[in-house]
Amino acid sequence: NNNNNNNNNNNNNKILKMKLQVSLNAKNLRNVAGLMKGTSDPFAVVSLLDDNNPGKAKVLGQTEVIKNSLSPSWVKKFPIEYDLGSRMKLIVSILDEVRKGSNKPMGSAVFEIGSLLGAKGNTKAVSISGGGIVYAKVQKMTSMGKFDFQLCGVKLKSTEGLFGTTDPFFEISRRDVGMKGTEWNVVYRSNVVQNSLNPNWQAGLLDIDTICGGDLDLPIMIAVYYYSKNGKHTPMGQVQTTTNGIVRAQNSNGFTLFRNTSGVGSKPVGNILVKKGSIIGLNDTNPTATSGPSVSSPSAPSLTVYPSFKVENTQNSGDAHVNRPHDSTSGQFTMGNTSMYTSQRYNASPTPQMNIAPSFKVETTAAFVSPASPPVSNEPSFIDYIVGGCEISLCVAIDFTGSNGDPRKPGTLHHFNTDGQKNDYEKAISAIGQILEHYDSDKKYPVWGFGAKYGGVVRHCFQCGTVPEVDGVDGILRAYHETFKSGLIMSGPTDITEVIQNASGFANHKQKTANAKGQQSYTILLILTDGAVSDIQKTANKLAEVSSSPLSIVIVGIGNADFSSMQFLDDFAERNSQLPDITQFVHFNTHRHDPDTLTAATLDEIPSQLTSYFLRNNIQPLPPVACQDEEIVVEPQEEEINLELNFDDDKVTVGNISGYQPAKVY
């Protein structure tokens, strides 16, 4: 069994590697050029810090230099591989290029990759101590081959007058369409050719994914500018085309440039010729162009909604005290003043009611042989759903059975240490919750308990805390603490079927509500328990019953009990091939000294389970959420990490690292 489990984990790790790319821009940086030396020429060095390799920063590379600008928009993108359960930090060090001397620091910013991925538009902004704002955006990256091209200009119209110099360069932008509409994003910037109206620019090489995302007919724009030392470059002309259009335009008259893209009411201002345009590194099994994965609004899946699940509200006012000693014969003990307890039924929908909100031209030529198209997979991935704004909600269920031991005694599983050290329940909640909270915009979570008596009746699902949904991971921990002041009697047996049922109702309601708003939702139920379930078949039947819900169930075993029956539940779907796999079991003790391996183990099946649910219900990812810089909330720098950068023969290495504290302990 252990070998099988290890093999499964290895396969999951292969699936989980998310290929992403990061793009950067900045605004209102501080000018550090010095008195009478003009404006800074900023570039950024991008490094990656991984808690699995503490103290070792990997330099991903550096951007191009943007001359005379305090609000640079860099074109170069940086590929990274990310696991859902890992903590990775992106360090952006901005410097002013000094050709004869040492580069001058302009400030640095730190971004957590998971936080970037879960942010609106997958974009975050951080104010830096040196002055200014740094923006980082993360996108899906796929390997689709390269686009090899070279352009030249012919008879460009001068805007500099009779004696002015004309130094042209061009940019290529791709047309992206998101929920906020159309936006043009620069993906390439050429070299500057000095004093020429017939420039012959250097050849370029772009990833197919970068220039068109695999859609060779995606609109792109070629815009020519005249370079200015003050950074305010003069627009000269532009034309819209496609990647296929550039390939077609070889050995032809190329493209005519106009002041505006339509050409209406505008005179020609020159031509662009294609000296070279080819797609390389692809197989040739598909000779026609493709448009990439289809994207459509989700259709409403067939949902089973549980509109009236029950959770006991067990809270009382005032501080509780122990009024009955531990009963060694019954295996139960009382916490709190049970005479103050008043049962309050929580009969509601799985979550509080929510208010439901309510042409271009392409240059072509007659002669064309279609190039080989990239092998684009039509099956969407976890990243596609997250980039499309799918929210991941979290429910937490905590075991309050008597087998956890008397929480007043040090060494028992629910004991709260006075020295600030977390118990194992707190450690698991903190580590897993801090990863998943990136993907939930409101960060409100229901917290339930099971296995305790109130009023002499064993409750298999009751509300922890004073409200149905708490705020953030700290709210989960407070609700957990408050439960021991509610008059409970820790009892048994261990029955998780009611919390599974309630989580299913919660998940279905969330997805139905999101679907009505044109959005998507998925839920994870985190069950923390110290022992095996009392009725394995009843639990297996319940898992089969809720397996059609937008729900994953992660069970974390706390303590030293025999959890073999929990592993049986984990493997249940494998033995029943007609059922989707929605369950994952992890033994906490295996990861008690390393929160990174805990989160990796507990979350490694979530991406495939989420994707499987949506595909089973024929729900495609939503278009990427687009947002402008003005819409992004600028956050203060929470963590300042300083890297000692060494520049040697165009190679950048990292020396000392200060301010970095890896999360290798709970």
Side-chain angles (χ1 to χ4, degrees):
N1 288 338
N2 289 336
N3 291 334
N4 291 336
N5 292 338
N6 290 335
N7 291 335
N8 289 338
N9 286 337
N10 290 335
N11 292 334
N12 287 329
N13 286 335
K14 292 178 182 177
I15 295 172
L16 257 182
K17 287 289 184 183
M18 305 177 198
K19 295 184 181 296
L20 306 171
Q21 58 184 5
V22 176
S23 54
L24 303 166
N25 68 289
K27 288 186 176 181
N28 304 321
L29 298 175
R30 182 167 61 94
N31 187 8
V32 299
L35 187 63
M36 305 296 291
K37 292 187 178 181
T39 305
S40 293
D41 304 330
F43 69 98
V45 176
V46 180
S47 308
L48 197 64
L49 277 169
D50 186 343
D51 281 351
N52 289 322
N53 296 292
K56 295 181 180 180
K58 177 183 178 181
V59 177
L60 301 181
Q62 63 187 71
T63 67
E64 71 278 14
V65 176
I66 304 296
K67 293 289 186 179
N68 301 299
S69 176
L70 299 179
S71 295
S73 181
W74 294 289
V75 170
K76 183 171 180 178
K77 298 183 179 182
F78 300 89
I80 57 174
E81 288 189 341
Y82 175 68
D83 293 343
L84 179 63
S86 66
R87 294 175 177 86
M88 299 173 67
K89 297 183 186 295
L90 194 77
I91 317 298
V92 181
S93 306
I94 303 176
L95 301 102
D96 176 17
E97 184 189 49
V98 179
R99 290 192 175 275
K100 296 181 179 180
S102 299
N103 299 318
K104 298 180 179 180
M106 299 180 71
S108 63
V110 180
F111 298 92
E112 208 280 320
I113 298 298
S115 179
L116 270 177
L117 194 57
K120 180 182 178 182
N122 315 113
T123 306
K124 298 202 77 171
V126 170
S127 59
I128 59 177
S129 57
I133 303 168
V134 179
Y135 296 83
K137 179 181 179 67
V138 66
Q139 296 170 292
K140 177 184 176 182
M141 181 177 183
T142 53
S143 179
M144 297 179 177
K146 302 285 186 179
F147 180 54
D148 186 16
F149 64 98
Q150 185 175 15
L151 306 181
C152 63
V154 178
K155 296 181 179 180
L156 303 182
K157 184 177 177 62
S158 175
T159 61
E160 301 300 320
L162 184 61
F163 300 104
T165 59
T166 301
D167 305 330
F169 70 96
F170 72 89
E171 292 181 345
I172 297 178
S173 302
R174 60 179 273 179
R175 181 189 180 198
D176 292 323
V177 180
M179 290 179 139
K180 293 289 184 178
T182 300
E183 61 180 8
W184 291 92
N185 295 308
V186 178
V187 296
Y188 180 82
R189 185 177 292 118
S190 77
N191 63 303
V192 176
V193 177
Q194 294 185 344
N195 199 25
S196 175
L197 295 176
N198 297 284
N200 188 24
W201 291 294
Q202 295 173 2
L205 189 66
L206 279 175
D207 288 324
I208 290 294
D209 182 64
T210 298
I211 189 170
C212 63
D215 180 357
L216 301 180
D217 292 316
L218 179 81
I220 61 176
M221 183 185 297
I222 303 172
V224 178
Y225 297 87
Y226 292 140
Y227 175 80
S228 177
K229 289 183 178 180
N230 63 11
K232 298 179 180 178
H233 311 302
T234 304
M236 179 280 211
Q238 56 190 3
V239 63
Q240 283 190 35
T241 181
T242 66
T243 307
N244 265 339
I246 294 177
V247 175
R248 293 184 182 106
Q250 291 184 93
N251 304 317
S252 74
N253 293 329
F255 306 103
T256 300
L257 295 171
F258 294 92
R259 293 291 187 195
N260 57 62
T261 53
S262 68
V264 177
S266 177
K267 293 182 179 180
V269 292
N271 292 85
I272 293 289
L273 297 185
V274 179
K275 297 184 67 176
K276 178 172 61 174
S278 62
I279 299 171
I280 58 177
L282 304 172
N283 61 45
D284 56 2
T285 57
N286 181 6
T288 59
T290 62
S291 59
S294 60
V295 179
S296 60
S297 297
S299 58
S302 175
L303 296 174
T304 303
V305 180
Y306 301 88
S308 58
F309 72 95
K310 297 178 180 180
V311 179
E312 295 291 335
N313 185 330
T314 59
Q315 299 303 308
N316 59 70
S317 59
D319 293 331
H321 59 276
V322 177
N323 66 355
R324 188 163 72 92
H326 174 57
D327 183 350
S328 59
T329 60
S330 65
Q332 302 176 357
F333 50 85
T334 304
M335 291 297 299
N337 188 339
T338 55
S339 64
M340 298 175 63
Y341 167 73
T342 303
S343 176
Q344 301 175 17
R345 281 285 181 185
Y346 173 50
N347 299 324
S349 300
T351 186
Q353 292 295 320
M354 304 180 200
N355 295 324
I356 298 178
S359 90
F360 62 92
K361 293 186 177 181
V362 178
E363 293 284 336
T364 61
T365 59
F368 168 63
V369 177
S370 178
S373 298
V376 180
S377 171
N378 285 321
E379 185 169 291
S381 67
F382 174 76
I383 291 294
D384 293 315
Y385 287 101
I386 296 300
V387 169
C390 179
E391 298 248 335
I392 299 180
S393 299
L394 174 66
C395 307
V396 179
I398 302 172
D399 184 341
F400 290 97
T401 58
S403 56
N404 283 278
D406 186 341
R408 297 165 296 188
K409 296 181 178 179
T412 57
L413 298 178
H414 280 308
H415 179 70
F416 299 137
N417 298 303
T418 57
D419 61 0
Q421 293 291 317
K422 294 183 176 72
N423 65 35
D424 288 353
Y425 279 92
E426 294 171 303
K427 290 176 181 177
I429 290 170
S430 298
I432 299 169
Q434 286 169 4
I435 294 290
L436 292 178
E437 68 177 352
H438 296 316
Y439 305 95
D440 189 345
S441 61
D442 67 4
K443 295 177 174 51
K444 290 186 176 294
Y445 314 118
V447 184
W448 305 318
F450 60 92
K453 279 185 178 180
Y454 287 97
V457 179
V458 177
R459 307 295 183 183
H460 298 303
C461 187
F462 55 88
Q463 176 182 307
C464 296
T466 58
V467 293
E469 294 184 354
V470 302
D471 293 318
V473 176
D474 288 342
I476 298 174
L477 294 172
R478 280 194 299 271
Y480 168 47
H481 285 223
E482 289 169 359
T483 303
F484 289 98
K485 301 177 182 179
S486 65
L488 86 166
I489 301 175
M490 300 180 71
S491 181
T494 302
D495 184 347
I496 61 175
T497 58
E498 286 190 27
V499 295
I500 292 173
Q501 181 69 65
N502 291 339
S504 172
F506 178 89
N508 286 325
H509 178 79
K510 277 276 194 181
Q511 168 59 3
K512 184 177 180 180
T513 303
N515 187 67
K517 297 179 180 180
Q519 300 170 356
Q520 294 172 346
S521 175
Y522 192 80
T523 298
I524 297 172
L525 170 62
L526 172 63
I527 300 177
L528 306 169
T529 180
D530 83 313
V533 295
S534 56
D535 191 331
I536 189 70
Q537 190 58 52
K538 178 183 177 182
T539 308
N541 292 341
K542 181 58 64 176
L543 290 174
E545 181 183 326
V546 306
S547 62
S548 62
S549 300
L551 176 69
S552 289
I553 299 172
V554 177
I555 304 172
V556 177
I558 307 292
N560 298 311
D562 179 6
F563 290 107
S564 56
S565 62
M566 292 303 195
Q567 190 61 53
F568 173 86
L569 294 176
D570 190 355
D571 300 335
F572 179 63
E574 293 182 14
R575 292 188 297 273
N576 297 269
S577 57
Q578 295 180 349
L579 294 176
D581 179 16
I582 67 169
T583 309
Q584 168 83 333
F585 172 75
V586 175
H587 191 180
F588 179 84
N589 281 356
T590 306
H591 312 278
R592 66 177 303 116
H593 300 298
D594 191 342
D596 283 341
T597 63
L598 174 68
T599 54
T602 53
L603 303 179
D604 68 355
E605 294 185 13
I606 300 301
S608 60
Q609 291 174 355
L610 179 149
T611 305
S612 176
Y613 165 78
F614 285 114
L615 293 180
R616 289 196 310 272
N617 290 277
N618 298 315
I619 302 175
Q620 291 291 316
L622 295 172
V625 177
C627 57
Q628 304 300 319
D629 287 352
E630 294 73 20
E631 301 177 75
I632 302 168
V633 177
V634 179
E635 301 176 355
Q637 183 79 278
E638 293 184 358
E639 183 178 14
E640 189 159 343
I641 300 175
N642 296 310
L643 306 181
E644 179 188 351
L645 299 176
N646 302 312
F647 295 84
D648 183 20
D649 296 331
D650 294 329
K651 181 181 180 181
V652 185
T653 58
V654 176
N656 294 326
I657 303 174
S658 60
Y660 174 55
Q661 296 182 347
K664 296 301 292 182
V665 294
Y666 291 94

